[in-house]
Amino acid sequence: MRVAIFGAGAVGCYFGAMFARAGVPVTLIGRPSLVEAVTEHGLILEKDGTTEVLKPEATTEAEAVKGATLVLVCVKSPDTAAAGKAIRRHLAPGATVMSLQNGIGNAEILAEILDRPVLPVVVYVAAAMAGPGHVLHRGRGDLVLGEGPGAQAAAARFRAVQVPAEVSAQAEAALWTKLTLNCALNAISALTLRDYGTIARRPEALATFTALVEECRAVAAASGVTLPADMLDRVLALTATMPGQLSSTAQDVMAGKRTEIAQLNGEIARRGAALGVPAPLNRALAMMVELLEET
């Protein structure tokens, strides 16, 4: 068995590290700075108060997915189509391809390009790159896989390397739930460069979270998806369990990288417009982060 991770950022490096520490051959496919760091010094995993140095392979070349049993696509949502085109002619016939990405619809985009099933995966992990080749784990690390060919076997492989994973018929609803969590927090964190705990302590926070969640709920319902009744409580719980966490969108802004805001608040705004469901707060937050990216 070999695992290939295409788009090895914080999420990809974390799960790659979990496989590597269990002795599974891993190939990270990422930016030159990552490849250089991992080749020279190994992949550093900082987790649970300890630091380990692991030795996965690392390359910038898409053809490195060749022969891999599991292929984890971890690129930013705007790069999904390009990722599919890059790997499609190199995939082994029996490979299980998984989309470990934010937003909704990425697995479908990949499946259409690759002309093969792609498993959607809901990722619950707080991880960040503390430097090239240095992944910092801050919390959780569990997965929910959508149903499909190879899903049960893939989940078992993750569990074997101490990554909690389950297969669920409710994966689409779980993706929408995570999308809503991101819509409630990511843009605010990015615009203010503040962590979840600081945001939640503001007296205006509850009303703001409520408005964002209700916009997402209305758009989800119009799309045929029912969000959990306790969605707002889940947002508040996240700010309590991860008070020091900066959103991935904030981390991208700080690093001068393109964000996924168009696939988060922007996706709610677009879908809402198409379905006749107003989502003005999501639209405004998406616009502001996009303007910030242009500076």
Side-chain angles (χ1 to χ4, degrees):
M1 174 186 169
R2 185 169 70 84
V3 177
I5 298 170
F6 191 85
V11 168
C13 283
Y14 173 70
F15 290 109
M18 294 301 286
F19 277 105
R21 77 198 300 228
V24 177
V26 173
T27 301
L28 304 175
I29 304 167
R31 298 177 183 275
S33 58
L34 171 78
V35 175
E36 181 179 348
V38 173
T39 301
E40 291 187 7
H41 308 295
L43 177 64
I44 300 169
L45 172 64
E46 195 172 340
K47 175 180 169 66
D48 299 331
T50 64
T51 301
E52 298 178 66
V53 179
L54 306 160
K55 296 292 184 180
E57 295 183 0
T59 179
T60 60
E61 301 301 320
E63 64 182 307
V65 301
K66 188 178 297 182
T69 309
L70 289 182
V71 177
L72 315 184
V73 178
C74 302
V75 299
K76 298 288 188 183
S77 292
D79 299 323
T80 301
K85 292 172 185 177
I87 66 175
R88 63 185 173 188
R89 66 190 180 93
H90 303 298
L91 293 169
T96 298
V97 183
M98 308 168 69
S99 165
L100 280 72
Q101 300 171 270
N102 281 327
I104 52 180
N106 290 310
E108 289 82 357
I109 293 170
L110 287 170
E112 182 175 354
I113 292 170
L114 300 176
D115 193 26
R116 62 195 294 162
V118 175
L119 299 176
V121 181
V122 192
V123 181
Y124 300 104
V125 66
M129 299 304 292
H134 182 173
V135 60
L136 173 61
H137 175 253
R138 291 194 174 113
R140 294 191 67 170
D142 46 307
L143 305 174
V144 177
L145 284 65
E147 294 180 322
Q152 292 292 351
R157 289 186 171 112
F158 276 102
R159 291 193 296 268
V161 300
Q162 300 182 6
V163 173
E166 64 173 326
V167 178
S168 173
Q170 302 303 314
E172 182 181 10
L175 281 169
W176 273 88
T177 298
K178 186 183 178 188
L179 173 63
T180 302
L181 288 170
N182 285 334
C183 286
L185 289 164
N186 279 37
I188 300 172
S189 178
L191 290 166
T192 63
L193 299 182
R194 296 294 186 269
D195 58 48
Y196 297 163
T198 301
I199 295 167
R201 286 193 294 273
R202 293 289 303 182
E204 307 89 350
L206 181 59
T208 304
F209 293 155
T210 300
L212 285 165
V213 166
E214 289 312 307
E215 286 186 6
C216 293
R217 188 185 300 282
V219 174
S223 302
V225 176
T226 301
L227 289 178
D230 65 344
M231 192 68 244
L232 179 60
D233 290 338
R234 297 188 186 203
V235 173
L236 298 175
L238 187 61
T239 67
T241 56
M242 296 183 182
Q245 181 70 23
L246 283 170
S247 73
S248 59
T249 308
Q251 293 176 45
D252 286 341
V253 167
M254 293 170 68
K257 296 179 181 178
R258 180 175 53 168
T259 75
E260 294 181 293
I261 201 66
Q263 286 71 41
L264 301 177
N265 302 81
E267 181 69 16
I268 293 296
R270 274 195 308 277
R271 284 180 178 255
L275 295 166
V277 179
L281 186 51
N282 277 279
R283 180 179 300 280
L285 287 174
M287 180 194 71
M288 286 186 279
V289 174
E290 288 170 354
L291 286 169
L292 188 62
E293 287 183 274
E294 294 175 5
T295 59

